[in-house]
Amino acid sequence: MGKLLFVGVTCADVVINVDKLPQTAQDVVVYGQNMVLGGCAFNAFSIAHALGEPAMLFSPVGTGAFGDFVRRGLQSEGIEVLVDNDAMENGCCYCFVEPDGERTFVSYHGADYHYEPAWFDVIDMDEVDAVYVCGLEVEDPTGPVVVEFLERACRDKMIFFTPGPRPDAVPLDLLERVCALHPVLHMNGDEALVLAGRLCGGDSPDDMSSGGARPCVERAAAALARHVGNTVFATLGGDGCLYCDGDRLDVVAGSSAHVVDTIGAGDSHIGALMVGLHRGDPIEFATARANRVAAAVVGISGAHADPAVVRAAAERQE
């Protein structure tokens, strides 16, 4: 069996607990904070790693206090740093968490979002079966480098693309180039509506914004599945995950969860989903396991769960 390749960010997540987000010029008191490894690619990779799936993380690591933190964290878990960027400071993500567990991100993009074409030469693509990429990397200035790598080296691989929390900010031409590679799409329901509006406005006669939340997401997922020619997954929080593979559209029920914060919920879901599909599991089984893993991750502070917790959630029967 080949490896899952995760291309994208590893950074320091600074988790900051507040009673409520401040308004402009307002002061608030923080009642808890901690720093953990994070970043969309790392979060997804760490789930595959915890579940024992052959996986590789391609994350440039920079300098400075955050770069040192990331490098030490990866090394402590036996994860190889494939690219050292000693010319740029590593970034971080400030994760403001309110009492209901909802998170607001303020991100500093540094070396973790910067890519050079030659760096990808360290990857032996003969070892790779499937590739993960997030729209946040595609959105940044060196996003074309990432897309060119997909076009050059990944046409015969299964590509998993998540547009990320800012699907309206990813350049449309780059989105179209990624979609031309027929990726599996993974996002939440709100992101699906935005992405379908950008990519499928002329493809579907349905109004994406009318008829209730669930029907809207269903129409968006179906339109996107037609657009990319592959399966689309749209997570629905506690209600589970909707998928559309062109022929079928269904919802796999969610798992009960005590929400500490929602950091990394989607990342952990796609990581577990990729593992299941890579192993050849039926789509409903793989999605149900991803739902359980995501439910476990929202029950901790930050996205980096203990591997034993991840494995227990994956193996639990409901």
Side-chain angles (χ1 to χ4, degrees), residues 280-313:
D281 294 337
I283 192 169
E284 295 87 355
F285 184 90
T287 305
R289 179 164 51 195
N291 291 350
R292 295 194 299 272
V293 169
V297 168
V298 300
I300 65 166
S301 176
H304 193 27
D306 186 300
V309 172
V310 175
R311 290 192 290 269

Side-chain angles (χ1 to χ4, degrees), residues 30-115:
V30 171
Y31 65 84
Q33 66 175 350
N34 66 311
M35 189 158 68
V36 296
L37 280 178
C40 294
F42 172 77
N43 294 340
F45 164 84
S46 68
I47 298 299
H49 192 58
L51 295 177
E53 200 71 3
M56 182 188 313
L57 178 65
F58 185 84
S59 279
V61 179
T63 63
F66 295 125
D68 292 344
F69 177 83
V70 168
R71 194 172 286 102
R72 287 195 304 269
L74 293 177
Q75 290 173 349
S76 70
E77 298 190 24
I79 301 167
E80 184 179 4
V81 176
L82 295 178
V83 176
D84 274 305
N85 183 349
D86 58 7
M88 295 179 67
E89 183 181 29
N90 212 83
C92 69
C93 182
Y94 299 98
C95 311
F96 295 91
V97 178
E98 296 176 82
D100 64 356
E102 190 53 79
R103 91 296 182 277
T104 300
F105 291 158
V106 179
S107 300
Y108 167 50
H109 291 189
D112 40 331
Y113 280 90
H114 181 82
Y115 295 85

Side-chain angles (χ1 to χ4, degrees), residues 131 133 138 146-161 173-185 227-230:
V131 182
V133 171
V138 176
V146 177
V147 176
E148 288 160 9
F149 163 71
L150 295 178
E151 293 172 331
R152 180 180 71 254
C154 305
R155 288 186 178 274
D156 62 339
K157 314 297 181 183
M158 180 176 287
I159 298 172
F160 289 80
F161 179 62
D173 64 318
L174 296 181
L175 271 179
E176 291 284 18
R177 286 169 60 183
V178 174
C179 289
L181 299 172
H182 309 294
V184 174
L185 294 181
H227 189 78
V228 300
N230 211 330

